[in-house]
Amino acid sequence: MEVPSDQDLLLQLMKGSHEAFSIIYHKYWKKIFVYAYDRLKDTKQSQDIVQDLFVSLWERREGLQVDNLNAYLYASARYAILRLIDAQQAEAHFFTSLQHLSLDASAADHQMISAELLEAYRALVGKMPSQRRRIFQMRHEENLKTREIAEALNISQKTVQNQLLNSYQQVRSLLTRVLL
């Protein structure tokens, strides 16, 4: 039996074909996983990238405008990896900055700066849109994983990751203003 071309599979997928989706998934999941793992060196994160990519492909199937499926999947994976790395760096930067404050400041200065930072942080979190604030709090106050947050709020894991990325960018901006 001849395997349909990627273009034929895309046309069938756009019509809601589960079989076409399954063929695409089996053809590309391992390649995308290896690509993600080569960059992240983390099995769980690489699996999440693959899962999110294919969930997004299915959810967006009706409006897809893709000429080259292979290129589309790799570009989607690359952007997901970059967003994840950016979010991790923002989080690491936030906590590294707090550690430097603890080491470099005198006790009185430290208390004053910590109080200002905490006040600015709480104000920033309070001004976030309600869903973003809830996601941010679930991640950093309740220590839930993105998958757990997505399940609890009945939203996609990609939405959780995008909201966290936006909140990290806000926190980075806050740190820049407060610490400089």
Side-chain angles (χ1 to χ4, degrees):
M1 183 170 126
E2 185 178 320
V3 176
S5 71
D6 283 354
Q7 278 308 111
D8 290 337
L9 289 170
L10 278 170
L11 290 173
Q12 292 173 26
L13 177 68
M14 290 172 67
K15 295 176 184 175
S17 169
H18 291 279
E19 183 180 347
F21 177 79
S22 180
I23 292 170
I24 292 169
Y25 178 82
H26 289 321
K27 182 176 180 180
Y28 286 103
W29 80 265
K30 192 176 225 173
K31 295 175 187 177
I32 300 299
F33 173 81
V34 169
Y35 177 78
Y37 186 82
D38 283 345
R39 279 136 190 89
L40 297 171
K41 304 297 186 221
D42 185 289
T43 301
K44 176 83 173 88
Q45 289 177 336
S46 300
Q47 290 170 338
D48 288 346
I49 294 283
V50 171
Q51 178 181 347
D52 290 346
L53 188 146
F54 283 100
V55 166
S56 176
L57 181 67
W58 178 256
E59 288 174 345
R60 301 176 63 223
R61 69 188 176 276
E62 293 172 353
L64 285 177
Q65 295 181 350
V66 176
D67 293 326
N68 182 330
L69 180 61
N70 185 57
Y72 173 81
L73 293 173
Y74 276 96
S76 296
R78 183 176 65 246
Y79 290 124
I81 291 164
L82 292 174
R83 283 192 303 271
L84 178 63
I85 290 169
D86 189 41
Q88 290 172 337
Q89 288 174 342
E91 186 175 346
H93 178 71
F94 177 77
F95 291 108
T96 301
S97 296
L98 288 179
Q99 288 174 339
H100 286 295
L101 282 175
S102 297
L103 296 174
D104 296 341
S106 67
D109 286 343
H110 174 68
Q111 287 178 349
M112 187 174 83
I113 292 171
S114 293
E116 284 180 30
L117 183 58
L118 185 57
E119 182 181 327
Y121 169 79
R122 286 183 179 151
L124 174 73
V125 171
K127 290 179 184 175
M128 288 180 182
S130 61
Q131 184 180 31
R132 183 178 303 158
R133 179 176 52 246
R134 181 66 184 128
I135 291 169
F136 186 80
Q137 289 171 330
M138 290 174 81
R139 176 70 180 107
H140 295 287
E141 294 173 15
E142 300 172 30
N143 292 320
L144 296 178
K145 303 218 178 290
T146 58
R147 183 181 316 244
E148 296 168 327
I149 296 168
E151 290 172 2
L153 298 178
N154 199 26
I155 57 177
S156 73
Q157 191 172 355
K158 177 61 83 188
T159 299
V160 171
Q161 291 171 342
N162 288 338
Q163 290 295 326
L164 285 171
L165 178 62
N166 289 335
S167 62
Y168 295 148
Q169 290 169 344
Q170 285 181 288
V171 169
R172 184 183 308 149
S173 175
L174 167 73
L175 282 173
T176 302
R177 289 191 314 266
V178 172
L179 296 176
L180 295 179

